[in-house]
Amino acid sequence: MSKTFCEICNELVEYKIRKRIKEEMINNKIVSFNELYAICKKCNNEVYVEKLYDQNMLEYSEKVKEINGIITIKEIEEILNKYAIGKKPLSLVLGWGEVTIIRYLEGSTPEKAYSDILKKVLEDPNTLYEYLEKNKDLITKVAYKKTLGKIMELKLTEDQSKIYLISKHIIAKMEDITPLALQKILYYIQGFSTYFFDNPIFNDNAEAWVHGPVYREIYDRFSYYRYNPISKNEFESYNEIDSLSEKEIKLIDSVINNFGVYSGKTLEKMTHITIPWEEGRKELSEEEYSSNIIDTDTMKDYFTNIGKKYKMKDVSDISKYASSIFKEIMDGDNK
């Protein structure tokens, strides 16, 4: 049991901790905050306890920061939790000394310029994203991957969340899937949804990159895997069933079953002979960089014609097209 010296009892005594509201004038404003104090258990008089004094001074300091528009300890802790980043990595990503954030959490008051940066980071994931990409070599790959993942989750808009949700479903259903293969399966899911649902299942537009259609947000989210399979440990939870309809899941699973059996490079070749990608690459050389948007109407026209050509009445009929286009590229490779 902790003890302190009581001047009335003239000895070390046990004490009780109590709380009271204290008011202080800060910058011509009356500010209220909680103050802790100790009571001697023997005589019930107030006694001095150093650790309570330190806590009260910290509470007062936080109120001063708040009044002066300086970021508080609570807000810095919120940044750490929001982006799943450690104290030292955050300092390094922002280009500061590695103990800067630790000092702030211990009570040091940030300069206004540093405070403003931290407030922007707290409010806008794009701010931290820019710093992270600039200084990613200063932290470990594990820390980079973890924080990037959190940033991308926060950056996703409602429509983009749908494509991320579907990506989670694909990754969970497949044994191994690379970012390249994931992009192509998303392309076919969106394409066939324009035929079976009359509208795209998500509103993101694919870009006509050299290696096939690419959805920018998903590229940013998983690009650090490069040519390696995406880990299922990416996701703390997996509950997309609650958000996707039964007919959406049936379509997604049919595309997975019929296209997920092929490698990313094979899927790349398949998408290269689809009109929407070809139209997006029009007048570009084979290796020329492009972020040209693949037109949604072109997607709908192409996949509607495919649906009619193969007399698709149900999503299971996607197998007819998948096997046909695979044969087409194999025949082309053998020529």
Side-chain angles (χ1 to χ4, degrees), residues 241-259:
I241 300 296
D242 296 333
S243 302
L244 298 173
S245 69
E246 184 179 349
K247 70 174 186 177
E248 287 175 330
I249 292 173
K250 283 183 177 179
L251 170 66
I252 294 164
D253 287 351
S254 181
V255 173
I256 291 172
N257 293 335
N258 289 293
F259 289 92

Side-chain angles (χ1 to χ4, degrees), residues 112-260:
K112 185 69 165 58
Y114 281 48
S115 172
D116 288 347
I117 290 172
L118 287 168
K119 280 182 173 287
K120 285 182 180 178
V121 166
L122 178 59
E123 294 168 3
D124 182 16
N126 289 302
T127 300
L128 185 58
Y129 177 71
E130 290 172 7
Y131 279 104
L132 184 67
E133 290 304 302
K134 179 181 177 182
N135 296 317
K136 62 185 177 184
D137 292 337
L138 300 178
I139 61 175
T140 66
K141 289 182 179 179
V142 172
Y144 168 75
K145 183 175 77 169
K146 191 174 182 181
T147 300
L148 177 64
K150 286 293 183 181
I151 290 172
M152 296 313 300
E153 286 180 21
L154 293 164
K155 282 178 66 178
L156 296 174
T157 63
E158 184 178 347
D159 287 335
Q160 293 166 328
S161 295
K162 185 74 173 286
I163 191 174
Y164 177 61
L165 202 62
I166 292 170
S167 297
K168 286 175 65 176
H169 182 83
I170 296 167
I171 293 163
K173 292 280 287 189
M174 293 185 64
E175 188 60 35
D176 288 307
I177 183 167
T178 62
L180 178 65
L182 175 60
Q183 292 284 357
K184 310 316 172 232
I185 288 176
L186 285 169
Y187 174 73
Y188 283 118
I189 288 171
Q190 187 185 38
F192 282 113
S193 71
T194 64
Y195 173 70
F196 286 105
F197 305 155
D198 199 41
N199 286 302
I201 192 170
F202 49 80
N203 291 336
D204 301 67
N205 290 313
E207 296 178 12
W209 288 22
V210 170
H211 296 291
V214 169
Y215 295 93
R216 176 75 66 166
E217 289 290 345
I218 298 305
Y219 174 83
D220 288 342
R221 178 66 178 82
F222 297 109
S223 62
Y224 51 81
Y225 279 102
R226 297 177 62 78
Y227 307 109
N228 300 310
I230 300 168
S231 171
K232 288 179 171 55
N233 295 330
E234 277 287 334
F235 316 116
E236 294 177 5
S237 61
Y238 177 63
N239 59 356
E240 86 298 329
I241 300 296
D242 296 333
S243 302
L244 298 173
S245 69
E246 184 179 349
K247 70 174 186 177
E248 287 175 330
I249 292 173
K250 283 183 177 179
L251 170 66
I252 294 164
D253 287 351
S254 181
V255 173
I256 291 172
N257 293 335
N258 289 293
F259 289 92

Side-chain angles (χ1 to χ4, degrees), residues 280-305:
R281 297 289 302 174
K282 187 181 290 184
E283 298 179 1
L284 293 173
S285 64
E286 190 173 321
E287 296 297 323
E288 188 174 350
Y289 169 81
S290 167
S291 59
N292 291 350
I293 296 297
I294 295 176
D295 184 66
T296 304
D297 290 336
T298 305
M299 287 272 285
K300 186 171 183 177
D301 289 343
Y302 176 76
F303 282 94
T304 297
N305 289 332

